[in-house]
Amino acid sequence: MNRDPAYAYCERLAREHYENFPVASRLLPRRMRPHIAAIYAFARIADDMADEGQRPANERLQDLHRWGERLHDATRGVFDAGAPHAEVFAALAQTIAQYRLPVSLFDDLLSAFAQDVTVVRYATWADVLDYCRRSANPVGRLVLRVAGCQDPASDVASDAVCTALQLTNFWQDFDVDWRKGRLYVPDEVWRAAGARVTDLDDRRLSPEWRAALEDVSRRTRVLFAEGRAVCDRVRGRLRWELRATWLGGTRILDKLDASRFDVFNARPALSAKDVPWIMWGLLAWRESAIDFGPRTSELGPRH
């Protein structure tokens, strides 16, 4: 149990908001858990600010800007102990200093959250990937840094997996997002398939929309495959954590495929019934044949 009250605050928040990304789970090495929880707490609160749709956009953007200012202040040792969530910055400043984390990765996260406030549609696949580059990829890179990894090739593989996980969440929440006015399938994809947005208003999955979702799902699987090797670059519990995350993400895609992308009648999600499948996947896992070169850092000690 972590006795530092700032980290304990972050860990409680992480446990209360468990999502698709395993956060400070028991599979993580014990030494990493408080630091990952601090990173998560910072991002979770900022994401909630952006997602408060009932508040005016300019107010949410101002809150995000101030959240970023508090981060930069904290890295210089400037804290407002009476401000909301002061514990997050107290913990995060320690983590950033201890592991020399690039503050630019946190700035990228905030830029993606700010984009959520103003952007609800994407023209091209490249636009969607750019959003993922800032909304998801920084998390993977930060986890690797806390684990002790400074390997550029592993960063690239991590980016692919994190983007794939973010995209999977988009297709998983397709109906929910549309009801909020959001559409992450880019215009160039659904238009090429001949789909019509009026069908979405009627919650009707036309053959054209099914084709569009099949297209983006296929692209997502390619990214999972491209990034799989990062799961083999780590040791100990973190290796199992990353592999379980990878398997969970691809399992969601399997469920989408099995339902023929019927996103309006059921939201695909992992359940207790999927645990044996994931456990078997962990036991049967074969390391990627991709050569990353000498493993000098090996991502920290064995735990």
Side-chain angles (χ1 to χ4, degrees), residues 9-203:
Y9 178 91
C10 296
E11 289 179 298
R12 284 196 302 272
L13 191 149
R15 286 193 298 270
E16 291 168 3
H17 294 81
Y18 186 87
E19 296 179 329
N20 288 338
F21 288 86
V23 178
S25 82
R26 294 299 177 186
L27 287 177
L28 276 178
R30 185 180 298 275
R31 69 171 183 85
M32 290 182 61
R33 291 177 204 162
H35 303 292
I36 299 305
I39 292 168
Y40 174 82
F42 172 85
R44 175 71 272 164
I45 294 168
D47 192 21
D48 287 345
M49 290 177 184
D51 202 35
E52 292 176 331
Q54 70 276 15
R55 297 178 60 224
N58 66 315
E59 291 183 9
R60 287 179 279 156
L61 291 173
Q62 288 172 5
D63 286 348
L64 287 168
H65 178 71
R66 179 55 187 150
W67 196 247
E69 288 183 331
R70 290 178 66 186
L71 170 66
H72 284 267
D73 286 345
T75 62
R76 297 192 297 269
V78 179
F79 296 94
D80 180 357
H85 305 300
E87 298 91 341
V88 172
F89 293 99
L92 191 58
Q94 294 181 57
T95 294
I96 289 173
Q98 180 174 340
Y99 294 101
R100 299 181 181 180
L101 302 181
V103 179
S104 61
L105 293 175
F106 296 95
D107 291 334
D108 283 344
L109 286 171
L110 292 178
S111 76
F113 297 146
Q115 183 169 312
D116 280 334
V117 176
T118 58
V119 178
V120 295
R121 297 274 287 272
Y122 291 84
T124 68
W125 183 249
D127 292 335
V128 176
L129 293 183
D130 179 68
Y131 172 80
C132 294
R133 177 185 64 80
R134 290 173 288 117
S135 68
N137 298 3
V139 175
R141 292 193 177 214
L142 290 167
V143 169
L144 291 179
R145 294 299 177 274
V146 172
C149 180
Q150 302 289 335
D151 178 3
S154 292
D155 281 348
V156 172
S158 172
D159 288 348
V161 170
C162 288
T163 290
L165 288 166
Q166 177 74 84
L167 294 172
T168 300
N169 184 245
F170 290 157
W171 320 144
Q172 178 185 32
D173 287 337
F174 184 90
D175 183 30
V176 174
D177 286 334
W178 179 251
R179 283 186 270 128
K180 294 179 179 179
R182 296 185 178 280
L183 180 61
Y184 290 101
V185 177
D187 292 358
E188 67 177 6
V189 171
W190 62 261
R191 290 185 187 279
R196 299 178 302 176
V197 293
T198 53
D199 287 332
L200 302 183
D201 292 330
D202 297 332
R203 302 185 79 251

